[in-house]
Amino acid sequence: MRANQRIAIPLLIALPVVVLGLVAVSPRPLALTVTWQAARMAAAQERYADAAASYREIIAYQPERTDLWDLVGALAFQAGDFAGAVDAYQQAEAGGALSLEGRFHLAAAYQNLGEIEKAQQTWRLLADQPGLSAGQYAELVGLLRQSGDYPGALQTAEAWTAAYPDDLAAAYAYGLQLSCVDPPLAREVLLPVSAANVPEAAKSTVLLQGLDAALESTAEEYSLVLIGQRLLEVKEMDFAERAFVQATNLNPLYAEAWAMLSEAQQLLGGDGWPALQQARQLNPDSDIVQAVLALYYRRQNQPEQALATLRALAADHPQDARWQIEIGAALTEQGDLIEAMAAYKQATELEPDNPLPWRALAAFAAENGFDAQSYSIPAAQKALELDDESAQSLDLMGWILLIEGDLEGAEQFLQQALQKDASYPRALLHLAQVYLDMNRLSLAYKPLSQAAEQSDDPSVSLQAARLLERYFPKQP
């Protein structure tokens, strides 16, 4: 008993000394544990800046943990600390631990910091990474294009087609990139896309028409204008602008190229007036120059000046319905609906076998409250008689019936329109509106989402987005 006491008492006396010695000699494990807990707690509570700071402390304790730099970069990026994200991702890359997602975030951080060249360089390097999905290639092409790095976008689109040779979205992106650079190859790439049942088929068909016409011309600047006009038609505005810029560079005296450049710049939200002034100085009597001038006046809310220009064009081309359609649009903006109706009717009389003026008349009558049975429905029916394969004509009839409250009839025509072109944004929007009016919300969500995401027309995408927000606020 005494022996046991002799052993135990010294141990009891020594134990606090040992414990205190451990704490004093080796504080790092306990501090490290606390920091790990703080980091995880901050991340869970979405306090990203605090979490990033804690993980930086952990790396200071354990510099061999270079794998954590990628996580620090992600947290800093989430916190909006783009400079911190760049620093962390660079550390991760130096340690061979930068993830694919981290590379995307690194480029985005550079972009947010205004370092566009570094962002472009990072996107280009990403295109060489193995294992990219088709969606990631598409994202890279879009980012490079938006940043103005068209050579990089072209190289990435080519890599996309090489990685996914059966992906027709990749083929369209590649053909589009080639349209102003290598028209013969662009035609070869786009031809199978135009023959397939894919969303890009309709645009590819239009572009092929321009490419075919361009390849028949010996004047390169004229070929570029033909291609640019088709690019405008399919609403690839930035590529159209590139085509017209190239044409004016090849021939600075080409008035029509300057006029079309002005139109592309306006559609991209720019001024366009300097290019239009250049066109007028070179050839003020050109029909194209005058037409762009009229459109410019209409956009500037000056319908009187637009009308003067359009009436002069109509007088020079008395058998051309398009000038009467434009006159009708300008008169509508001026508020003179009776004269506008007369102009639209005259357009149908000038070209009775052309569906375009009939569609224009039908849309005008429906939008401005004219009697449907007397005006919009007969005009839409005539357009369908002349072109029953047109998604645009089928959509127009469906939309008119929707306005008139014939929901079943509207649904039938809109379904037919989408059979012709499954990605036609207006038909998607109008079909969704039919389902909303029928209180069939489950059927409305998909076409509404597609209309919001796919439309090149801001009015369509904005309307679809507002309906999504109103009827499906909890959907992602």
Side-chain angles (χ1 to χ4, degrees):
M1 187 64 137
R2 290 178 182 175
N4 288 341
Q5 287 177 340
R6 284 199 298 269
I7 294 171
I9 290 171
L11 284 175
L12 289 171
I13 294 170
L15 184 60
V17 177
V18 173
V19 173
L20 289 171
L22 286 173
V23 173
V25 172
S26 181
R28 293 171 69 177
L30 179 58
L32 189 59
T33 300
V34 171
T35 307
W36 271 105
Q37 291 172 344
R40 289 166 178 159
M41 180 67 73
Q45 294 175 348
E46 299 183 359
R47 293 184 290 109
Y48 300 117
D50 293 340
S54 293
Y55 279 113
R56 283 182 181 273
E57 288 184 34
I58 292 168
I59 296 170
Y61 284 134
Q62 297 179 306
E64 72 277 7
R65 292 297 306 270
T66 54
D67 58 300
L68 291 177
W69 281 117
D70 191 73
L71 175 58
V72 173
L75 291 165
F77 187 87
Q78 285 282 81
D81 177 12
F82 301 117
V86 166
D87 173 70
Y89 284 132
Q90 287 176 338
Q91 300 272 12
E93 187 168 29
L98 182 59
S99 67
L100 192 62
E101 184 180 10
R103 291 182 188 277
F104 274 95
H105 283 165
L106 174 59
Y110 280 134
Q111 186 180 30
N112 278 286
L113 291 169
E115 299 184 48
I116 302 303
E117 289 186 8
K118 289 184 179 179
Q120 291 171 339
Q121 183 181 11
T122 307
W123 287 323
R124 284 191 180 209
L125 290 172
L126 262 167
D128 296 328
Q129 294 292 311
L132 286 180
S133 68
Q136 288 170 326
Y137 275 116
E139 182 181 357
L140 286 173
V141 170
L143 289 167
L144 287 162
R145 175 181 176 181
Q146 290 167 16
S147 73
D149 184 0
Y150 290 97
L154 174 60
Q155 292 174 13
T156 304
E158 185 177 12
W160 182 9
T161 58
Y164 296 90
D166 297 326
D167 189 334
L168 294 179
Y172 175 76
Y174 186 37
L176 177 64
Q177 302 285 336
L178 289 166
S179 58
C180 303
V181 179
D182 189 341
L185 182 55
R187 186 185 185 282
E188 180 182 332
V189 171
L190 290 172
L191 200 58
V193 185
S194 67
N197 184 22
V198 292
E200 298 81 9
K203 285 187 173 184
S204 297
T205 299
V206 173
L207 290 178
L208 284 169
Q209 293 168 356
L211 291 166
D212 288 341
L215 292 171
E216 293 177 2
S217 172
T218 56
E220 187 178 353
E221 63 269 34
Y222 179 62
S223 296
L224 285 163
V225 168
L226 291 174
I227 293 169
Q229 287 176 316
R230 294 300 185 175
L231 286 164
L232 280 184
E233 188 175 340
V234 298
K235 295 183 171 55
E236 301 287 4
M237 309 302 184
D238 55 334
F239 283 101
E241 182 185 34
R242 290 185 72 211
F244 299 135
V245 166
Q246 289 180 49
T248 58
N249 288 339
L250 286 169
N251 184 357
L253 302 179
Y254 191 1
E256 288 75 11
W258 284 104
M260 294 309 301
L261 174 58
S262 169
E263 178 66 7
Q265 289 172 339
Q266 291 176 66
L267 291 170
L268 285 166
D271 182 4
W273 181 245
L276 186 52
Q277 281 184 309
Q278 181 70 17
R280 294 176 74 195
Q281 290 172 6
L282 291 168
N283 189 355
D285 297 324
S286 163
D287 288 349
I288 289 178
V289 173
Q290 289 295 303
V292 174
L293 180 62
L295 286 171
Y296 179 85
Y297 283 139
R298 284 182 57 195
R299 293 188 184 109
Q300 298 300 314
N301 198 27
Q302 300 177 36
E304 298 87 354
Q305 289 179 279
L307 280 167
T309 304
L310 289 168
R311 282 174 172 149
L313 285 166
D316 290 340
H317 304 278
Q319 300 305 312
D320 194 335
R322 60 181 167 165
W323 304 122
Q324 292 301 326
I325 294 172
E326 292 297 328
I327 287 171
L331 286 165
T332 303
E333 291 166 1
Q334 201 175 35
D336 193 343
L337 299 183
I338 301 303
E339 286 299 315
M341 173 61 81
Y344 283 113
K345 282 185 175 180
Q346 187 174 349
T348 64
E349 292 165 3
L350 289 173
E351 297 184 33
D353 296 327
N354 183 350
L356 177 61
W358 291 104
R359 284 199 295 262
L361 172 59
F364 162 76
E367 287 169 353
N368 291 282
F370 285 84
D371 179 62
Q373 297 301 324
S374 302
Y375 296 99
S376 55
I377 290 178
Q381 287 173 334
K382 183 64 176 178
L384 277 171
E385 288 174 16
L386 294 169
D387 185 14
D388 61 358
E389 294 296 310
S390 166
Q392 189 175 0
S393 295
L394 289 161
D395 167 65
L396 178 62
M397 179 61 84
W399 174 63
I400 291 169
L401 293 176
L402 168 62
I403 293 173
E404 292 302 303
D406 182 358
L407 299 182
E408 291 184 3
E411 181 184 10
Q412 291 177 6
F413 278 103
L414 293 168
Q415 291 282 15
Q416 290 178 53
L418 291 171
Q419 286 174 7
K420 303 297 181 185
D421 183 353
S423 63
Y424 190 57
R426 288 188 176 276
L428 288 166
L429 172 62
H430 295 150
L431 182 61
Q433 289 174 315
V434 167
Y435 290 141
L436 290 174
D437 285 355
M438 289 178 168
N439 201 30
R440 298 163 70 182
L441 300 188
S442 61
L443 295 178
Y445 179 73
K446 183 178 179 180
L448 205 53
S449 299
Q450 289 177 289
E453 294 169 2
Q454 297 175 7
S455 178
D456 296 319
D457 185 337
S459 64
V460 172
S461 57
L462 180 60
Q463 190 174 357
R466 285 175 175 170
L467 288 172
L468 281 170
E469 185 178 353
R470 177 181 174 183
Y471 288 95
F472 305 97
K474 295 183 180 179
Q475 292 288 348

